[in-house]
Amino acid sequence: MHILLTRPLEDCSEMIIKFKSLGNQVSHLPLLRIDKVNYQEINFSNIKGIIFTSANAVKFLDLKNINKNFLCFCVGSATEKKARSVGFQNVIVAEGNVENLKELLLQNFNQKDGTLLYISGETVSVDLDQQLLKEGYDIKRVINYRATHNQNFDDKFVNQLKLNMPDMVYVYSQNSALSLLNFIKMHQSESLWMNTNLMCIGEKTSSILNEIKWKKIFLFNPGEEEFLLYKI
């Protein structure tokens, strides 16, 4: 099976190795570039919990003044792994989506417990901080990275992809979906994806790509990628 992965290499290198070990052909098309955003120094004196909705949020956070015993909420296993790798001990992890993460927060962190620090990218699919404010929480959002669309792609890779279209492509965000749509239109390949299965996180992500004709569209949570191999 030919699988196309679209996340930055750092975020999908383990998956590339795993899929290849299962006998699949894997192509890599990084749709987004992730860059650090400078932010104002954070006062941690009133912070009692921290929220990460991506591994990049952990990666680009200055950790030298943070109490690693903070209650730490992570959106999924990849984010949890990154948080634990830098020393966070008290980690609660959701099943890969922000809705589950919000429920875990409501269950495990009382509004009176103190201020929550929400570390995120510039663009988010769900305004988690605004939702928690409405629930009565004291929450401070800090943006420490941004994702920008890749515009330059290797011509040789593009031509090879057109000759050998993937059976599956994984798309992880609305930003990535927009970037993939731009890629398809830029290279005039709209008619070539009819036998490709589109794997998307969430309906909002998949809806961006609805104008392209796919074989089938599947919704998934992070961690279910290998399971999806056996659904097509």
Side-chain angles (χ1 to χ4, degrees):
M1 190 178 301
H2 184 193
I3 301 167
L4 180 64
L5 298 177
T6 61
R7 303 180 82 184
L9 184 60
E10 181 182 3
D11 297 327
C12 67
S13 57
E14 291 183 6
M15 197 173 301
I16 290 174
I17 294 170
K18 177 64 174 179
F19 282 167
K20 284 185 174 180
S21 74
L22 294 170
N24 299 291
Q25 176 189 351
V26 181
S27 296
H28 180 228
L29 178 71
L31 294 170
L32 300 175
R33 189 181 76 246
I34 308 299
D35 298 307
K36 181 179 180 180
V37 170
N38 293 323
Y39 56 89
Q40 290 186 340
E41 186 174 349
I42 302 169
N43 179 1
F44 291 100
S45 59
N46 295 321
I47 302 297
K48 300 300 180 184
I50 189 165
I51 304 167
F52 294 117
T53 48
S54 78
N56 287 314
V58 184
K59 175 183 176 181
F60 292 113
L61 183 64
D62 185 352
L63 298 164
K64 64 178 182 292
N65 295 320
I66 294 182
N67 179 356
K68 301 294 179 54
N69 291 317
F70 278 154
L71 192 58
C72 176
F73 294 90
C74 293
V75 70
S77 58
T79 306
E80 176 198 18
K81 183 178 179 180
K82 185 66 175 179
R84 291 192 183 278
S85 75
V86 299
F88 285 100
Q89 303 294 322
N90 196 8
V91 180
I92 296 176
V93 58
E95 296 177 356
N97 63 67
V98 177
E99 288 77 13
N100 288 341
L101 182 62
K102 178 185 174 183
E103 289 305 313
L104 283 174
L105 275 158
L106 296 177
Q107 295 168 15
N108 293 279
F109 196 93
N110 191 284
Q111 294 96 324
K112 299 177 182 179
D113 289 344
T115 302
L116 282 165
L117 180 65
Y118 173 33
I119 310 297
S120 77
E122 190 173 60
T123 303
V124 293
S125 57
V126 178
D127 292 322
L128 180 61
D129 56 328
Q130 298 304 311
Q131 292 187 18
L132 291 172
L133 281 170
K134 291 178 182 178
E135 296 282 353
Y137 285 85
D138 181 12
I139 184 166
K140 175 180 175 61
R141 181 184 174 194
V142 172
I143 296 170
N144 70 344
Y145 73 94
R146 67 169 56 93
T148 55
H149 298 289
N150 277 340
Q151 298 291 337
N152 299 315
F153 300 97
D154 181 73
D155 288 339
K156 182 179 178 181
F157 173 87
V158 173
N159 290 331
Q160 289 177 340
L161 189 68
K162 286 182 176 181
L163 292 171
N164 180 22
M165 293 298 289
D167 299 295
M168 305 171 70
V169 55
Y170 289 87
V171 181
Y172 285 80
S173 68
Q174 294 174 58
N175 233 354
S176 293
L178 284 169
S179 191
L180 180 57
L181 185 61
N182 290 337
F183 171 85
I184 291 171
K185 291 183 175 182
M186 180 192 310
H187 297 285
Q188 299 178 332
S189 63
E190 290 93 333
S191 64
L192 301 180
W193 300 85
M194 295 173 60
N195 292 314
T196 299
N197 293 283
L198 176 65
M199 311 303 190
C200 280
I201 290 185
E203 290 184 9
K204 289 182 180 179
T205 300
S206 67
S207 66
I208 293 169
L209 291 159
N210 277 346
E211 63 183 272
I212 306 300
K213 187 169 183 179
W214 306 92
K215 185 175 183 179
K216 286 184 180 179
I217 297 177
F218 295 87
L219 303 182
F220 74 100
N221 291 320
E224 297 176 348
E225 290 89 345
E226 184 179 346
F227 169 73
L228 290 175
L229 296 180
Y230 308 103
K231 291 191 70 173
I232 66 171

